[in-house]
Each structure stands twice: as C-alpha cells, then as structure tokens.
Amino acid sequence: MMHRQPGFQRLALLLMLLPGLTLPGSLIAQPLMSESGAIELDAITVKGDVLHRNDIPTTVNRVNAEQFEDMTAVRTEEVLEDVPGVEIGNYNMGGVANVIKMRGFGGGAHGGDVAIYVDGIPLNEGESHADGYADINVLIPLEIEQLDVFKGPSSVLYGNFARAGALAFHTRQRGEYSKAKLSFGSFDTWDAQGAFGLAFAPGVYNNTAIQGTRTDGFQDNSAWSRINASTRFTWDINDYLDVALSLRAHESDWDAPGYIPKSLFDAETTRQAPNAEDDGGSKRFYSERFDLGLSLTDDLRLLYWAYATQQDFTRFAKFGYEPGGQTERFYDRNVWGTGASLNLDTLLSGKSFTGILGLEYYNEDTDWRRWDTFNRVRLDETQDRTFNITTFSAFAQGEWELSRYFRPTLGLRYDRFGGSYDNRDPGTPPFDQDMHDYSHWSPKLGFRSLVLDGLDLRASYSEGFALPDGEAKYQSDPTVSPETIKQYEIGLTYDPSDQLLIDIAAFILDTENEVQEYPIDSGIYRNLGQTRRTGVEAAVELRPLDGLTLSGDIALINSEIRNNSDPALDGKEIAGIPGQVSTLMAEYLSPQGFGGKIKWRHVGSYYIDDINTESYEGYDVVDLGVSYQRHFGGEDARKLRLAFEVKNVFDEWYSQAVWNGYGTSNYAVSWPRTYWVSMNLDW
C-alpha cells in the first residue's frame, strides 16, 4: 500500500499548475537594479542569496570556485577540510558516502546530521542506506561556483537534516568560459574534468560539465570508477522573465576492502579485512530540474521550480570477522519536488530590507530490499519494504539594516511530514503502516552590529529538529514528537584591511526530547534523551607580503549526554567526535607565477564507544605542493596551471573513521603518502 496525504496532493498539484499563486522554498534569486530601474536578470541562484550574507547573524563559511579548481582529491568533499570545525570520516569504501562531522554531530552525509543541497535539489535521502544519507560524489568540482556552509540549524531555508548545519552547493550559471583539468596520482589514480559555458544567442546560455575518475586504490580490493555529467540551458526571454532546464547524471562502481580490527591496524597492514567477501557496490543517479523566474516589480521577484530524481544503489557489505555474513542492500529511490518563492529587496523606512517567503513540497518513494549473499551471489532474501515520505514546508525571513549598530534578522520555518511504510519481509506476515504526522516550528532570530569599522559582532538563537530514525518514524504512537535542537551562538568578524581577517564563534547546541527505544528491544519509542554540545571555532587569515597568505583555524568541541534511556551513558561524551580539529597553512604565489603551499592538519583524540572506555588518539597529516601558472594575453585571458603535490608527506599511518562494534574496534585505513601531478587550463 502506498498511502498519500490528500491535502499534500492537492497542494502539490496547485503548486505545479499555478506557480504564480504560490511562494517557494528551494530557489531564491537576488534582484539587481539597472540604471533604468528594471531588475537585471542574474543567474538563477539557490535559496538564500536574496539574504545579504554579511547580515546573517550566524556562522556561514564560504568555499570559492578557485578552491574547487585547484584541489587534487579523489573525493569532492575533501575541500571541506579547509572549513573551520569540519572533519571528514573517510570510510575509503569507494562510492559509499563519507561521514561529515560538524558542531559536535558525527552523522552528516552518511547519516542525517547535515542538509546537503545542489542548486536547490536536496541530496539527502529520507529513507534508504541511512536517514539523511547524501552522496556528494555526484558533483563535479569544476562546475561549482561556490559552497556555503551554514553552521547549526541556523538557516530558515533548510529543515530536515540541518541539525549540524547545511551545505549549499552553487554551480556555474551563464557566462562564457572553457575549463579543463587532468590529474594523475599514486595507485593508478586519474581524474579528467571539463566545464564549459556557452552563449548560443542573445539571452540563451548553456553550462555543461563532465568528469571521469578512476583509481586502483591503495588497499586490496579497493578499485573505484565513476562518471559524472551535468548540463543547464537558460533562456532570458526578456528583462523580466527567464526559464532554465538542468540535467545531471552519475554512474559509479567500486570494490571495498572492508574494515579491519585493531590488531591488524596496529600491524599496519593494507590488506582487505579478514574473511572479506568481495565487498563493493554500484550506483546510478539522475536528476532533472525546471526553473522559472519572473520579476514582478523593481524589487519583487517570483521564482517557481520543479524537479525529479531517480536513483538505484547497491551495496555488498560484510560487518564482523566471522565467516559468512555478507549482505546485498538495494535501494530504488524516486523523488519529486516543487514550489515557488517571493524574494524582496527594497527600502523600508529608508533602510535596506530583504525578505523571503516560501512554500515547498517534497515526495520520496524508496523500495528497500536485502539478501544474504556470499561473494556477491544472492542467497535468501531477508527484507522487502517500501517507504514513502512527504514533506510540506513554509518559511519566511527578513533582514533589516536599521543602522550599522543593529541589523536584526527574524525568521520562522514550519515543516510537516507524512507517509507510509509497507513491510513484505519473507517469512513474516505483511503489514502496512501510515506515519503519524510530525510537525515542527523552527524560529531563527539574531542581529549583527558593526561596532567599529571592520569589527562586526553577531548573536543568534535558532531551532531545528530531528525525526525518529528508520522505521521508528512510522509508528502510530502520537505521543512521540520530533527532537528539538536549540543553538545559541555569539561571534565576531574582524576585517580591518585586505591583510587581515579574523572570525571567532562560540556556540551551545542542546538536543532535547531525543527519541529513544525504551525499554530496550521493546519496539516502544519515547522522548527521553538530552545532549549538550559546546564549542569554539576560530579562523585567521594574514597576508603580510604580496603573494603570501598565512591561514589557520581551530575548533574545540565538548559534548555531554545529559539524559539517556540507559543510565550508564549519563555524563558520557558522544562517541566519534574529536575534541580538537585544527589546520595551519602557508601559500605563496610569486609575480612570475611560481607558487608553493604547505598544510598541517591535526585531529585530536576521541572516544569510539558509547560507554567511553575505548578511544582513538587522532592523527597529524602534512601536505606539500608546488605550482606554476601563466596567463596568456592578460589576466582575463587563457591560463595554464601546473602543479605537483605530495599528500601525507611523512607517511602517517592513520584512520579517519574508527568505530566500535562486533567485539572489536574497526578501522578504515586512510591513504599513505601519495604523489600527484595536475594541469588546469582556462581558455
């Protein structure tokens, strides 16, 4: 049975047929005024750009296009290591999404702690490999214009899965350019990318990117290959109306070496896990999106959007070290979403005011099947399930620059969830269950104050939420409500000149009413848990000489379980969260085009089990690189960049993903010393 919420259906149909009468939530454009007073059409941008970033009273870190272009990495998300307070838990399992750790949460991307969007399309999966699972491997580094990293549940634009924060990827839109990059690295690793922007006729644009990547990997049974392609067609019909169609495709196949126990990790072996059974997997991902933008007045813009995603994902995995036990996990996922938004940029009482008002609707169907397997050969089927999740969201936010000393922001978001769960597991009576509808109001408020030239203070309070995990969210018990996540943040940015930038933020994140099973193994869930996360993030960038940039950041995190259904966990720290993450980097580029950089990254120790009896000491890694770049015909003409890098210079033996289970500690071995050469060409 696939139950649909009739009210949601009617609303979705209305949004699809009458975009001019609705207000969205996934796409926001910033109106730009021409000398004639009409709104000039800029790129259709993802939600949030109508809000002035310098007035948002919370921490938003930005990664620019040049960082994506210059990075040499097997995985796109490695660029996040340059964002203060972010750590990547790299499983080294090919196309399996890595975990992103941020603000004391350890389940982003591989779980549901971070909302991840690409031009307004959510990558998070509501119900598949893990709630909130999101695969950044579908992105091409050369196509990315910028990435905004929102810390904590601070943005009104993102609801589900945004408890640790949100990643908003913006791809290139419009423009005429040609970019290519070739990289070769250790273990027969290569990566080829191209990105092209064309203008076919006045007002008609195309942006296309392609990528092919392959590696043999440094461990036994760790080869991985993937192909990505994306294209976007934009037509500026006139000064007030534009439309766009975007398409994306991704295919990936990999082998996985599995996790090794502590004894083998201490022996520094790169062999695959004992009793491994040819683990690995494959994935196919396709998405389509339509956008329409209409400037209603000089300061009011309406956008409508609709998109769809089709995906199938297969993973063969073995956990534990006894003979047998491999499973095949298969997920077939189909999504569609739609909405519209009003975006205001005007003067109110003579002061700059920006505001957004939006609605959005999301529908996701997932077919979930599992088999016992041996070396990828199916044996008995163990699970056959279907999940449906529907989401209706509404949000509004305004920013008002009353004075340099007081620039307040006030926002409110509403999310409501419905759906159904069908269980047809072999050997058990089939049943279906409609989800008890969940809803949550999330206020966001704060202000900024430019107390001195170059010194901008900020303070904010924001709320988020989390639904019960997995099948637990479909129980009909109306007494269970979403977990509430509250963030309190203060911070400052000191930017007195082009030579110095300092940013500091302190935060408290409280989770309340955590949904936990009680009594254990009873199938009964209650709002019982409470956890507190506190921390400080600081970053500095110094340019003492022309061409020389010195930068560093540090994050100190503390966590405490304050209440749990298991009293033995009260007072314990959250497993898997490093107490310190820091980076130091020096970069130099001479007037002749010769450059170099050195980067040191430190990740501190952390507990790997819930009861805090076992820990991992952390690691230190140093990377080194030299480069040469030359412009042909001026700064805005063709550019060639050649680079050579050594990663993990001192051949540190370490793991970015350590966890406890199956009677031992489990380690995903990280890459040893590797050598890379790359060539970038812009023309």
Side-chain angles (χ1 to χ4, degrees):
M1 170 184 146
M2 292 301 299
H3 175 76
R4 296 290 188 275
Q5 301 266 328
F8 284 3
Q9 275 192 313
R10 289 194 294 269
L11 176 61
L13 183 60
L14 180 63
L15 288 172
M16 292 289 288
L17 297 179
L18 302 175
L21 300 180
T22 57
L23 316 170
S26 268
L27 198 66
I28 309 293
Q30 181 171 347
L32 300 176
M33 301 300 296
S34 68
E35 293 181 359
S36 65
I39 296 179
E40 293 182 347
L41 290 174
D42 196 6
I44 295 178
T45 49
V46 300
K47 59 183 178 180
D49 282 359
V50 71
L51 304 177
H52 297 160
R53 180 170 174 263
N54 291 336
D55 287 333
I56 296 175
T58 58
T59 300
V60 184
N61 301 120
R62 176 163 289 177
V63 182
N64 60 41
E66 186 176 9
Q67 291 171 268
F68 284 99
E69 292 177 22
D70 293 346
M71 68 179 292
T72 302
V74 176
R75 294 176 176 273
T76 304
E77 69 265 22
E78 290 183 33
V79 75
L80 290 168
E81 292 184 352
D82 293 335
V83 176
V86 178
E87 165 65 352
I88 304 298
N90 193 335
Y91 296 119
N92 288 299
M93 297 295 156
V96 175
N98 287 331
V99 71
I100 297 173
K101 303 178 183 182
M102 185 164 66
R103 290 258 157 134
F105 287 88
H110 196 83
D113 287 339
V114 177
I116 302 178
Y117 282 72
V118 181
D119 293 336
I121 295 180
L123 288 184
N124 300 96
E125 303 173 14
E127 192 68 66
S128 67
H129 190 65
D131 286 12
Y133 186 91
D135 189 0
I136 299 175
N137 294 313
V138 304
L139 295 177
I140 305 168
L142 277 189
E143 72 174 325
I144 301 172
E145 183 70 30
Q146 69 187 42
L147 163 65
D148 288 331
V149 182
F150 296 84
K151 298 293 186 63
S154 57
S155 176
V156 75
L157 304 169
Y158 309 103
N160 200 15
F161 309 123
R163 38 203 182 251
L167 307 182
F169 289 91
H170 307 221
T171 64
R172 300 178 188 273
Q173 301 172 18
R174 295 181 174 81
E176 295 185 68
Y177 56 86
S178 297
K179 297 177 179 290
K181 181 173 184 177
L182 291 174
S183 301
F184 300 92
S186 302
F187 306 106
D188 293 326
T189 302
W190 61 266
D191 177 59
Q193 301 178 46
F196 315 96
L198 304 172
F200 293 118
V204 181
Y205 306 91
N206 174 252
N207 300 84
T208 295
I210 56 175
Q211 179 188 31
T213 303
R214 192 188 185 284
T215 181
D216 283 344
F218 68 96
Q219 287 181 270
D220 295 343
N221 198 54
S222 59
W224 178 26
S225 61
R226 71 180 187 270
I227 298 174
N228 288 324
S230 67
T231 190
R232 175 190 177 94
F233 295 92
T234 304
W235 180 22
D236 295 340
I237 299 173
N238 54 43
D239 289 341
Y240 303 97
L241 178 64
D242 57 278
V243 295
L245 175 65
S246 304
L247 306 173
R248 180 177 300 278
H250 163 87
E251 294 195 3
S252 178
D253 293 276
W254 66 92
D255 299 320
Y259 307 99
I260 63 174
K262 187 176 188 302
S263 59
L264 293 184
F265 180 78
D266 291 342
E268 299 190 4
T269 178
T270 59
R271 296 182 61 83
Q272 65 180 344
N275 299 315
E277 299 176 11
D278 192 23
D279 292 351
S282 63
K283 182 172 184 176
R284 309 292 180 265
F285 175 96
Y286 308 98
S287 68
E288 308 83 31
R289 180 181 178 111
F290 170 77
D291 294 296
L292 180 149
L294 175 64
S295 299
L296 300 174
T297 69
D298 289 347
D299 50 16
L300 184 64
R301 186 162 170 80
L302 169 71
L303 293 123
Y304 170 76
W305 57 270
Y307 73 88
T309 298
Q310 307 84 42
Q311 169 190 311
D312 64 77
F313 175 56
T314 299
R315 183 184 181 187
F316 295 91
K318 175 181 170 62
F319 299 95
Y321 306 110
E322 299 299 324
Q326 187 190 66
T327 61
E328 176 187 350
R329 307 176 181 199
F330 174 76
Y331 313 99
D332 188 351
R333 176 173 171 261
N334 290 277
V335 173
W336 65 273
T338 187
S341 68
L342 285 177
N343 313 275
L344 179 67
D345 193 345
T346 187
L347 295 177
L348 183 61
S349 298
K351 307 293 184 180
S352 175
F353 179 85
T354 58
I356 55 177
L357 180 64
L359 303 176
E360 54 188 339
Y361 178 79
Y362 175 90
N363 185 92
E364 178 179 31
D365 293 312
T366 303
D367 289 329
W368 163 316
R369 301 182 71 182
R370 289 190 181 180
W371 293 265
D372 288 333
T373 55
F374 179 75
N375 288 318
R376 304 199 190 194
V377 176
R378 287 180 180 174
L379 302 175
D380 295 329
E381 185 175 17
T382 59
Q383 295 180 355
D384 182 2
R385 304 173 182 182
T386 301
F387 300 91
N388 170 254
I389 294 178
T390 58
T391 308
F392 168 72
S393 302
F395 64 86
Q397 181 162 310
E399 299 173 351
W400 198 7
E401 296 187 24
L402 286 173
S403 74
R404 59 175 287 172
Y405 302 107
F406 186 58
R407 301 173 347 250
T409 295
L410 178 62
L412 183 65
R413 182 180 179 92
Y414 172 77
D415 293 277
R416 185 176 181 86
F417 300 87
S420 62
Y421 163 42
D422 294 355
N423 187 310
R424 302 174 298 275
D425 289 354
T428 62
F431 69 89
D432 57 77
Q433 176 68 58
D434 288 342
M435 182 190 297
H436 159 65
D437 289 351
Y438 296 92
S439 63
H440 194 273
W441 293 91
S442 303
K444 327 276 184 177
L445 55 96
F447 70 94
R448 278 186 175 261
S449 178
L450 189 64
V451 294
L452 298 172
D453 289 345
L455 180 59
D456 206 0
L457 304 182
R458 63 184 183 269
S460 65
Y461 169 80
S462 55
E463 287 191 13
F465 64 91
L467 299 182
D469 287 336
E471 295 90 336
K473 71 171 62 67
Y474 294 94
Q475 65 172 341
S476 58
D477 183 359
T479 63
V480 176
S481 60
E483 300 175 10
T484 300
I485 299 157
K486 300 179 179 180
Q487 176 173 268
Y488 310 83
E489 179 182 319
I490 58 172
L492 65 86
T493 301
Y494 184 53
D495 187 14
S497 67
D498 292 338
Q499 285 74 45
L500 178 64
L501 172 64
I502 298 174
D503 190 86
I504 302 174
F507 64 88
I508 299 174
L509 262 166
D510 287 334
T511 60
E512 301 175 353
N513 297 321
E514 295 176 348
V515 179
Q516 299 175 355
E517 189 177 22
Y518 184 81
I520 301 298
D521 297 327
S522 66
I524 300 173
Y525 294 86
R526 306 178 188 275
N527 293 108
L528 294 174
Q530 183 178 357
T531 306
R532 167 163 288 190
R533 298 163 172 86
T534 59
V536 176
E537 298 170 352
V540 60
E541 189 172 283
L542 180 65
R543 297 184 178 91
L545 302 171
D546 288 345
L548 177 62
T549 301
L550 305 175
S551 60
D553 61 70
I554 186 171
L556 303 175
I557 305 292
N558 184 55
S559 63
E560 180 187 3
I561 299 173
R562 295 190 152 192
N563 190 31
N564 194 276
S565 57
D566 182 356
L569 299 183
D570 291 350
K572 305 298 183 181
E573 294 184 19
I574 300 172
I577 305 300
Q580 177 181 335
V581 177
S582 57
T583 303
L584 289 176
M585 184 160 55
E587 299 176 275
Y588 179 71
L589 180 63
S590 72
Q592 294 77 27
F594 294 97
K597 68 176 182 180
I598 185 169
K599 173 183 173 182
W600 168 61
R601 183 167 177 82
H602 169 73
V603 174
S605 62
Y606 55 89
Y607 290 109
I608 63 175
D609 64 330
D610 293 337
I611 203 67
N612 292 180
T613 59
E614 297 186 49
S615 62
Y616 177 55
E617 63 184 3
Y619 62 88
D620 294 88
V621 173
V622 176
D623 299 334
L624 182 68
V626 294
S627 63
Y628 172 73
Q629 66 181 40
R630 181 179 177 185
H631 292 267
F632 300 88
E635 287 291 322
D636 297 327
R638 292 179 295 171
K639 183 179 78 170
L640 172 68
R641 182 179 186 272
L642 304 174
F644 172 73
E645 294 180 67
V646 182
K647 294 192 174 184
N648 193 3
V649 172
F650 299 109
D651 205 18
E652 171 90 352
W653 178 260
Y654 71 106
S655 173
Q656 290 182 286
V658 185
W659 51 282
N660 185 269
Y662 304 102
T664 186
S665 303
N666 303 273
Y667 293 77
V669 181
S670 294
W671 284 60
R673 181 192 298 120
T674 54
Y675 303 91
W676 305 80
V677 294
S678 62
M679 179 182 69
N680 293 56
L681 181 62
D682 292 0
W683 74 95

